[in-house]
């Protein structure tokens, strides 16, 4: 319920205005977001790489309102990829992108988003890296997975994302668990109805383990995206039982969440990728992070009521 209310706030321009103006919001944003510019993103990514981590950079922005904004998303990613290349870290840094930032919800959206995502995937391949297409709410799942499959015809390394919360996910995982297929498994960050999703945390965790088994025992490349210590331990045990080498699976966490654990796992020889967002459009991303961690809510409350 709390998560639903927070995600509702995401659409409120008044709440956004109040929060953006408050100094305490800045501290909260800085914890989860690299900064506003490409230079900020490259600087933060380089620091993570020098700590032995790999990275996926997300240019913040979603649900663009017109084709011009969708085209601007592509330009932003091309600038980012060029800067990562100049910094000499593109091999360790992929990009993550949301199709709604490429106009997937506009008229003729899916075709436009596929074309624009293809431009990003081409540019990523040119500098020696790849992209993963983030998953958004359940109404978009078919379009997102269809787009990933189409992109893979040209670039087989393009990553897909599955959300354990969705009831359809075990079937999607069976389809995606093919040789070389890069699949990020997360719990799911959206407030979904019980008709399509598990709504209790225990059910989501059980579903997560079930899909983990499919991905880890299959021939693909699982990307275990969670901060949950129990699920991380189960993933490591399943990987050992399946005889997976350290470079045939990766663990993924968000920038600013359990950073010490990220470094501890990397020091053990595991491949750990940090999801690193940057940009000015951080409001909805921030609210999703707050919804996952009610302890952070007191800070948002101060931001919304502060007169500083
Ligand atoms: P859970 O929320 O149960 O958290 C486990 C523990 O981790 C908590 O007890 C706490 O210690 C810590 N923690 C988790 N979130 C925190 C936070 N925000 N602040 C502080 N501590 C926190 N979702 C989606 O729908 N589509 C997508 O494409 C992606 N992509 C993605 C990439 C990567 C790399 C990650 C890690 C996650 C995503 N997600 C996502 C988000 C995902 O669906 C989920 O909402 C969050 O990861 C939180 O779930 P956990 O698995 O961490 O478990």
């Amino acid at each position: 319920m709390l998560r639903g209310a927070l995600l509702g706030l995401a659409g409120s321009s008044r709440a956004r205005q109040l929060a953006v103006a408050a100094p305490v919001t800045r501290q909260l944003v800085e914890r989860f977001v690299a900064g506003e510019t490409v230079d900020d993103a490259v600087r933060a990514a380089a620091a993570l790489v020098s700590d032995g981590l790999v990275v996926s950079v997300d240019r913040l922005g979603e649900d663009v309102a017109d084709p011009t904004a969708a085209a601007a998303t592509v330009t932003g990613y091309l600038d980012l990829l060029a800067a990562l290349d100049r910094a000499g870290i593109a091999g360790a840094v992929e990009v993550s992108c949301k199709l709604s930032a490429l106009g997937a919800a506009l008229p003729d959206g899916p075709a436009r988003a596929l074309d624009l995502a293809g431009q990003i995937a081409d540019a990523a391949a040119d500098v020696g890296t790849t992209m993963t297409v983030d998953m958004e709410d359940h109404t978009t799942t078919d379009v997102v997975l269809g787009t990933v499959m189409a992109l893979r015809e040209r670039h087989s390394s393009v990553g897909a994302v599955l959300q354990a919360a969705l009831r359809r996910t075990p079937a999607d995982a069976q389809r995606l668990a093919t040789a070389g297929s890069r699949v990020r498994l997360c719990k799911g960050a959206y407030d979904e109805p019980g008709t399509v999703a598990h709504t209790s945390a225990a059910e989501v965790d059980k579903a997560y383990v079930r899909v983990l088994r499919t991905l880890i025992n299959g021939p693909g490349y699982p990307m275990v995206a969670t901060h949950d210590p129990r699920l991380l331990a189960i993933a490591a045990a399943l990987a050992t039982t399946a005889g997976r080498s350290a470079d045939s699976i990766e663990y993924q966490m968000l920038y600013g969440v359990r950073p010490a654990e990220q470094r501890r796992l990397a020091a053990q020889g595991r491949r750990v990728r940090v999801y690193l967002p940057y940009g000015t459009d951080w409001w909805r991303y921030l609210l999703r992070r707050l919804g996952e961690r009610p302890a952070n809510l007191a800070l948002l409350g101060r931001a919304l009521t502060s007169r500083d």
Side-chain angles (χ1 to χ4, degrees), residues 232-282:
L232 288 166
I234 291 171
L238 288 172
T240 304
T241 307
R244 280 191 172 267
S245 59
D247 61 357
S248 72
I249 180 169
E250 73 184 44
Y251 299 85
Q252 299 192 340
M253 296 193 199
L254 303 175
Y255 183 69
V257 181
R258 305 197 72 200
E261 181 65 4
Q262 295 169 12
R263 283 156 183 78
R264 194 184 70 81
L265 293 177
Q268 287 176 353
R270 304 212 222 162
R271 195 169 163 82
V272 181
R273 190 176 300 276
V274 179
Y275 184 99
L276 178 71
Y278 82 98
T280 52
D281 197 359
W282 43 258

Side-chain angles (χ1 to χ4, degrees), residues 135 163 184 187-190 226-227 254 257 289 292-293:
M135 189 55 80
Q163 296 157 321
R184 175 197 299 161
K187 289 190 183 181
Y190 296 83
T226 183
H227 314 93
L254 303 175
V257 181
R289 300 295 75 85
E292 289 152 5
R293 182 75 168 164

Side-chain angles (χ1 to χ4, degrees), residues 83-128:
L84 292 169
D85 188 35
R86 282 195 301 277
I89 55 171
V93 185
E94 63 150 33
V95 293
S96 282
C97 183
K98 288 185 177 47
L99 290 192
S100 73
L102 299 174
L106 301 175
D108 81 1
R112 178 191 308 277
L114 173 58
D115 172 43
L116 298 180
Q119 294 177 32
I120 298 171
D122 289 346
D126 285 348
V127 301

